[in-house]
């Protein structure tokens, strides 16, 4: 007899494991099928956590190199990076967090079934690799996530032409690195390896870096990258890449049609991620798909009853679904609570923060200035630089700004965009204000501590009404 569960989750990433925990909290008998050796999925094992650990090492190296300015003397020569120790510390952090998820499974009495799953008839999940068995489930949640993808002109060999999965495990700092794509993955690895000492070139097909961000944010990041010695080639298409024992030769075509060759030790392909649905059996079960993604409604129901899907593997049919760990987790909570009969509301994707951990960081929520105008808003904009704040000067982190986009008629905040070393921490104030339908005047009338970096948020709100106090 198959083992019966109230809920079976396929995939133990940030969507799957959070959905499982919340369902268990609500009294459901839950199992999670996960084929990896550890729990946590892309975020904990290959994505968010290891990359941010590497970025913290890069930041530490930056501070140490500037030690003399801080009055700290290092008597034994120039500081250097030890990749063996970097990787060991990164792996220790990842291991601790994945073990933490395993503990949470035990605490919440969730069964971890180690293997690969596929959908096999309504209410049945077949584990066909690993701990082979068939599970009966009243409800199934698909949370299989995504994996790096390439483009037709580039063949990834995982040696010279690599993805982020390999980039987090490099045992040595490459002398030169070309990065194809300037989304979050691309600009984060550009920051890491430039700080470690690589000659970095970043190639972007579109006219500007981080093209989903506000145009002012893109311009500020490009300025900073060039200052750091990162070569930026926007409006440039990679037409081919060939690997050899010594490195990679990349053929690229600029916007004016001119072609040129670039040589590097490694090429990192960071052109996005695709859904993991191959072998899942979704189409055979009759689940509606779109370009490999599982189509869901606003409550994450698929076209097949009692089967839900969340995270990077889904499409909502309108707009771009953000492939973010915190989005997957929120979707997992919503599904678990819906299955338990709770009154749940759809997630407002306009209020989801985007955090990019390059140097300087980017934090954003809501509409960019151009998006707001495209939606028909008459907008007012307030922008304030960190460079005049005492706290930013003390920290030696004066690059960047806060930009607030507001509706000119109602003053309601439509978007907040931050470039700064601590943008990912500062953006949450904007998220909270927007979730409660706040206005820039609401931010302006809240007393912010001094000296703090958050003062820049208030000053940007004051700038919407052209009454900044410190610039």
């Amino acid at each position: 007899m198959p083992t019966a569960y109230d809920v079976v989750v396929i995939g133990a990433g940030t969507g799957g494991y959070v959905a499982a925990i919340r369902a268990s909290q609500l009294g459901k008998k839950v199992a999670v099928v996960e084929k990896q050796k550890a729990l946590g999925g892309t975020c904990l094992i290959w994505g968010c956590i290891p990359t941010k650990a590497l970025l913290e090492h890069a930041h530490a190296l930056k501070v140490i190199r500037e030690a003399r300015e801080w009055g700290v003397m290092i008597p034994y020569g120039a500081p250097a990076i030890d990749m063996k120790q970097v990787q060991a510390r990164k792996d220790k952090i990842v291991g601790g967090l994945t073990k933490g998820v395993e503990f949470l499974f035990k605490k919440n009495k969730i069964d971890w079934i180690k293997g690969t799953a596929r959908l096999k008839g309504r209410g049945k999940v077949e584990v066909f690799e690993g701990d082979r068995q068939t599970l009966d489930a009243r409800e199934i949640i698909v949370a299989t996530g995504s994996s790096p993808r390439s483009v037709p002109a580039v063949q990834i060999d995982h040696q010279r032409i690599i993805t982020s999965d390999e980039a987090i495990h490099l045992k040595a700092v490459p002398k030169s690195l070309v990065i194809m794509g300037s989304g979050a993955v691309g600009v984060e690895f550009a920051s890491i390896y430039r700080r470690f000492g690589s000659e970095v070139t970043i190639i972007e097909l579109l006219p500007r870096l981080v093209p989903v961000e506000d145009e002012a944010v893109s311009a500020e990041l490009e300025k900073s990258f060039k200052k750091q010695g990162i070569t930026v080639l926007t409006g440039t298409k990679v037409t081919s890449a060939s690997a050899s024992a010594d490195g990679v030769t990349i053929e690229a075509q600029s916007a004016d049609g001119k072609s040129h060759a670039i040589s590097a030790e490694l090429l990192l392909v960071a052109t996005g991620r695709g859904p993991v649905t191959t072998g899942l059996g979704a189409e055979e079960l009759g689940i509606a798909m779109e370009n490999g993604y599982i189509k869901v409604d606003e409550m994450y129901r698929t076209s097949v009853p009692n089967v839900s899907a969340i995270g990077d593997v889904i499409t909502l049919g309108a707009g771009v679904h953000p492939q973010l760990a915190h989005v997957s987790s929120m979707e997992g909570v919503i599904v678990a609570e819906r299955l338990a009969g709770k009154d749940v509301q759809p997630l407002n994707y306009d209020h989801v923060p985007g955090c990019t951990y390059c140097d300087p960081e980017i934090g954003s929520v809501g509409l960019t200035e151009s998006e707001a105008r495209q939606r028909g808003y008459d907008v007012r904009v307030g922008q304030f630089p960190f460079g005049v704040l005492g706290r930013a000067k003390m920290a030696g982190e004066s690059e960047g700004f806060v930009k607030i986009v507001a509706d000119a008629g109602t003053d309601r905040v439509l978007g907040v965009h931050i470039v700064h070393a601590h943008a990912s921490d500062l953006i949450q104030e904007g998220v909270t204000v927007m979730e409660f339908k706040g206005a820039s005047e609401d931010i302006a009338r809240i007393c912010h501590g001094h000296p703090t970096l958050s003062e820049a948020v208030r000053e940007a709100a004051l700038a919407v009404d052209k009454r900044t106090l410190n610039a």
Side-chain angles (χ1 to χ4, degrees):
M1 287 287 292
T3 307
Y5 292 92
D6 296 319
V7 179
V8 171
V9 183
I10 304 175
T14 48
Y17 86 72
V18 169
I21 290 170
R22 185 65 185 127
S24 180
Q25 289 174 342
L26 292 167
K28 301 296 183 181
K29 182 181 179 182
V30 182
V32 176
V33 184
E34 173 56 60
K35 65 182 180 181
Q36 300 299 332
K37 294 180 180 179
L39 299 171
T42 294
C43 179
L44 266 67
I45 302 171
W46 299 287
C48 318
I49 300 303
T51 54
K52 279 51 173 184
L54 293 177
L55 281 157
E56 291 296 341
H57 282 268
H59 177 71
L61 182 60
K62 172 186 174 182
V63 172
I64 293 168
R65 282 175 174 164
E66 297 171 352
R68 186 177 295 274
E69 183 178 340
W70 293 82
V72 178
M73 306 307 294
I74 300 175
Y76 300 113
I81 201 76
D82 177 355
M83 286 300 286
K84 183 177 180 180
Q85 174 58 23
V86 167
Q87 292 292 357
R89 182 174 180 271
K90 180 260 292 176
D91 290 344
K92 182 179 178 181
I93 292 166
V94 171
L97 290 170
T98 57
K99 287 292 184 184
V101 178
E102 194 170 340
F103 165 77
L104 291 173
F105 272 33
K106 292 175 182 177
K107 175 184 174 183
N108 290 281
K109 297 180 174 59
I110 298 166
D111 290 341
W112 173 16
I113 297 170
K114 300 177 182 180
T116 305
R118 62 184 165 212
L119 303 169
K120 199 73 175 177
R122 295 192 179 186
K124 294 192 182 298
V125 174
E126 180 187 5
V127 182
F128 64 95
E129 291 178 348
D131 186 6
R132 295 168 181 258
Q133 57 185 294
T134 299
L135 310 175
D136 275 340
R138 292 183 180 179
E139 297 285 346
I140 298 168
I141 302 174
V142 177
T144 47
S146 62
S147 61
R149 66 184 177 194
S150 187
V151 295
V154 178
Q155 183 67 43
I156 295 169
D157 65 7
H158 305 287
Q159 299 294 323
R160 290 293 180 182
I161 303 176
I162 63 174
T163 71
S164 57
D165 288 356
E166 292 79 43
I168 62 167
H169 293 303
L170 294 182
K171 295 179 180 179
V173 176
K175 292 180 181 178
S176 55
L177 175 67
V178 171
I179 299 173
M180 184 178 169
S182 73
V185 173
V187 296
E188 287 179 7
F189 278 106
S191 294
I192 291 167
Y193 283 104
R194 179 57 188 151
R195 193 65 67 194
F196 284 176
S198 300
E199 292 296 323
V200 175
T201 299
I202 190 162
I203 300 174
E204 171 56 53
L205 178 63
L206 296 175
R208 56 190 177 91
L209 294 179
V210 285
V212 301
E213 301 290 347
D214 189 272
E215 290 184 12
V217 169
S218 297
E220 184 75 5
L221 184 65
E222 181 170 343
K223 182 175 73 174
S224 178
F225 269 18
K226 288 181 176 178
K227 184 179 177 182
Q228 295 174 48
I230 296 171
T231 301
V232 175
L233 301 176
T234 52
T236 301
K237 179 182 180 180
V238 172
T239 56
S240 69
S242 57
S244 67
D246 300 323
V248 184
T249 300
I250 300 107
E251 294 289 338
Q253 186 179 64
S254 55
D256 60 8
K258 294 181 179 178
S259 296
H260 56 283
I262 305 167
S263 296
E265 188 173 333
L266 295 176
L267 169 62
L268 168 58
V269 179
T271 51
R273 300 178 65 85
V276 176
T277 52
T278 302
L280 179 63
E283 290 177 299
E284 291 84 347
L285 192 63
I287 293 176
M289 310 286 286
E290 184 178 306
N291 298 322
Y293 292 92
I294 296 174
K295 294 180 72 172
V296 296
D297 64 14
E298 62 182 8
M299 287 288 106
Y300 313 108
R301 291 175 287 241
T302 71
S303 58
V304 172
N306 307 109
V307 180
S308 302
I310 58 173
D312 290 4
V313 76
I314 69 170
T315 177
L316 290 159
V320 177
H321 175 261
Q323 294 182 325
L324 299 169
H326 45 284
V327 169
S328 298
S329 295
M330 289 295 291
E331 292 169 349
V333 170
I334 290 170
V335 171
E337 293 185 349
R338 171 174 62 78
L339 297 182
K342 297 285 186 181
D343 181 22
V344 292
Q345 299 299 317
L347 181 62
N348 186 338
Y349 290 94
D350 279 348
H351 297 170
V352 166
C355 301
T356 304
Y357 300 86
C358 46
D359 181 13
E361 291 183 355
I362 301 168
S364 59
V365 63
L367 305 180
T368 66
E369 182 178 351
S370 63
E371 286 171 342
R373 295 188 190 281
Q374 287 168 12
R375 290 197 190 184
Y377 288 103
D378 182 15
V379 303
R380 293 194 301 169
V381 173
Q383 189 166 312
F384 188 84
F386 282 97
V388 300
L389 289 185
R391 184 62 185 273
K393 289 180 179 292
M394 295 172 209
E397 294 169 336
S398 56
E399 274 189 315
F401 57 79
V402 178
K403 177 177 179 178
I404 294 177
V405 180
D407 185 329
T410 65
D411 194 39
R412 182 173 172 178
V413 175
L414 303 173
V416 180
H417 309 278
I418 305 176
V419 184
H420 186 259
H422 299 282
S424 62
D425 295 316
L426 292 167
I427 193 60
Q428 200 61 41
E429 180 175 1
V431 177
T432 303
V433 168
M434 289 184 64
E435 186 65 20
F436 287 92
K437 300 179 173 61
S440 66
E441 186 65 20
D442 294 323
I443 301 173
R445 291 187 176 275
I446 295 172
C447 185
H448 289 62
H450 174 79
T452 64
L453 297 171
S454 67
E455 291 176 273
V457 180
R458 177 172 182 259
E459 289 279 2
L462 289 167
V464 172
D465 195 39
K466 295 182 171 54
R467 63 180 207 270
T468 54
L469 299 172
N470 290 286

